[in-house]
Amino acid sequence: MNPILNADLHCHSIVSDGTLTPEALAERAHGNGVELWSLTDHDEIGGQHRAAAAAKACGMRYLTGTEISVTFIDQTVHIVGLGFDPDDQALADGLRQTRGGRGQRAMEMSDGLAKVGIKGAYEGALKFVGNPELISRTHFARFLVESGVCRETNEVFRKYLTEGKPGFVPHRWASLKDAVTWITQAGGMAVIAHPARYKFTANQEFALFTEFKAHGGQGVEVVTGSHTVAEYSIYADTAREFGLAASRGSDFHSPDESHTELGTLPFLPANLTPIWDVLASRIQ
Ligand code: AMP
Ligand code: MN
Ligand code: MN
Ligand code: MN
């Protein structure tokens, strides 16, 4: 295959913090011209068999996917896994362990919000949760929009859910090494998600890429809904510098929120190895 492929290898369903079912996402992706798709729910692979079957039903190629939350130098980094065996036990166990702290964290977030006068946020957020093991900041954001505290989810994150704000609770996620290892030992490839979103210094970012490679990581998202056009070029250079394959994905969550639509991003820049070339044997 080649870089000119409408691959969308990053999006979320109701199994994590998206609002559509795996089936509705598959149809939407296919309708938008996606040729190769992956559903990458946060810390979850519970939607993988449904997504693969739905992709097959509309004649779209599929790679298994997930997006693992990792703590690296006190920041949350997301590692996308692609093309793994969806029935791998060690991967399932690792993800279950990663999801484990979310319930307690959510109650603490709710306590923080109560202190600034927002009552019942835990129960309110729960109404938006599709998977009881995966309550996320996104569900709180939807509740705060529904209850009129903010106009849209971006505003909720800015005012309430990011570091230093009343609903923010620091959390320790998986280690970089564990996340990369779970994915690769299950036959998949690990990809650094939306690198421009992190607030690392140049040295810290270098450490992230260097350690990721050392643990067996093989790809980086270059074209993502989280990057500007200038950032496509920056991370295309980073991919070449570190010898990483390049990925492309919208990070679509919901038709009602200001996220990039499935299958609508520019193609990968030239002179990169597309991750789908390296994963050719894992495509269903
Ligand atoms: P969590 O895993 O509970 O920390 O939630 C992280 C999720 O929150 C991300 O995957 C995004 O879907 C969402 N998110 C993070 N920052 C923002 C933002 N500024 N605006 C909207 N959604 C965001
Ligand atoms: Mn999300
Ligand atoms: Mn992410
Ligand atoms: Mn995502």
Side-chain angles (χ1 to χ4, degrees):
M1 274 180 277
N2 66 54
I4 311 301
L5 179 79
N6 194 343
D8 195 325
L9 306 180
H10 190 150
C11 71
H12 301 273
S13 77
I14 49 163
V15 174
S16 64
D17 62 348
T19 62
L20 300 182
T21 61
E23 291 79 13
L25 283 168
E27 274 182 37
R28 193 175 182 100
H30 181 64
N32 288 350
V34 172
E35 296 161 279
L36 174 65
W37 178 54
S38 182
L39 171 65
T40 55
D41 278 310
H42 295 285
D43 307 320
E44 256 290 6
I45 50 176
Q48 290 307 307
H49 287 294
R50 285 173 68 181
K56 191 173 181 188
C58 53
M60 184 168 56
R61 283 171 289 174
Y62 189 74
L63 276 170
T64 53
T66 187
E67 182 179 20
I68 306 182
S69 313
V70 158
T71 302
F72 185 80
I73 323 184
D74 294 334
Q75 284 193 52
T76 300
V77 166
H78 286 168
I79 300 295
V80 163
L82 297 170
F84 50 79
D85 170 5
D87 300 316
D88 184 86
Q89 197 55 47
L91 174 61
D93 290 346
L95 294 179
R96 190 177 316 106
Q97 184 192 314
T98 301
R99 290 193 298 271
R102 281 185 179 268
Q104 179 64 31
R105 171 193 187 230
M107 283 186 267
E108 290 172 25
M109 287 171 63
S110 189
D111 291 345
L113 291 168
K115 287 192 184 124
V116 294
I118 299 165
K119 307 283 183 220
Y122 178 72
E123 294 73 19
L126 267 188
K127 287 189 296 171
F128 292 91
V129 167
N131 172 356
E133 285 185 35
L134 212 120
I135 182 163
S136 90
R137 286 186 290 162
T138 312
H139 303 112
F140 281 84
R142 291 188 183 128
F143 168 65
L144 265 65
V145 170
E146 182 207 48
S147 52
V149 176
C150 290
R151 266 169 298 109
E152 40 110 31
T153 52
N154 269 324
E155 185 189 344
V156 184
F157 275 89
R158 205 172 58 246
K159 293 185 177 165
Y160 294 101
L161 299 181
T162 41
E163 188 144 15
K165 300 298 154 62
F168 184 78
V169 174
H171 194 76
R172 264 216 107 67
W173 302 104
S175 71
L176 180 65
K177 181 181 183 197
D178 281 351
V180 173
T181 305
W182 295 333
I183 295 162
T184 49
Q185 59 78 39
M189 277 184 196
V191 175
I192 297 178
H194 43 61
R197 279 215 346 219
Y198 313 126
K199 296 184 171 58
F200 291 125
T201 63
N203 281 343
Q204 290 173 332
E205 186 183 71
F206 185 84
L208 170 67
F209 277 82
T210 305
E211 290 186 31
F212 173 75
K213 277 276 291 193
H215 296 315
Q218 290 181 270
V220 57
E221 285 185 345
V222 171
V223 175
T224 125
S226 300
H227 284 183
T228 62
V229 172
E231 288 162 348
Y232 300 159
S233 308
I234 293 171
Y235 288 97
D237 287 346
T238 308
R240 293 183 198 107
E241 185 188 332
F242 283 88
L244 293 169
S247 191
R248 173 182 189 263
S250 59
D251 208 356
F252 180 81
H253 284 65
S254 169
D256 304 323
E257 291 160 14
S258 54
H259 288 283
T260 305
E261 181 55 71
L262 285 158
T264 61
L265 285 167
F267 292 117
L268 283 182
N271 299 321
L272 290 171
T273 304
I275 192 92
W276 47 88
D277 278 2
V278 196
L279 281 164
S281 68
R282 313 291 308 180
I283 295 175
Q284 306 180 37

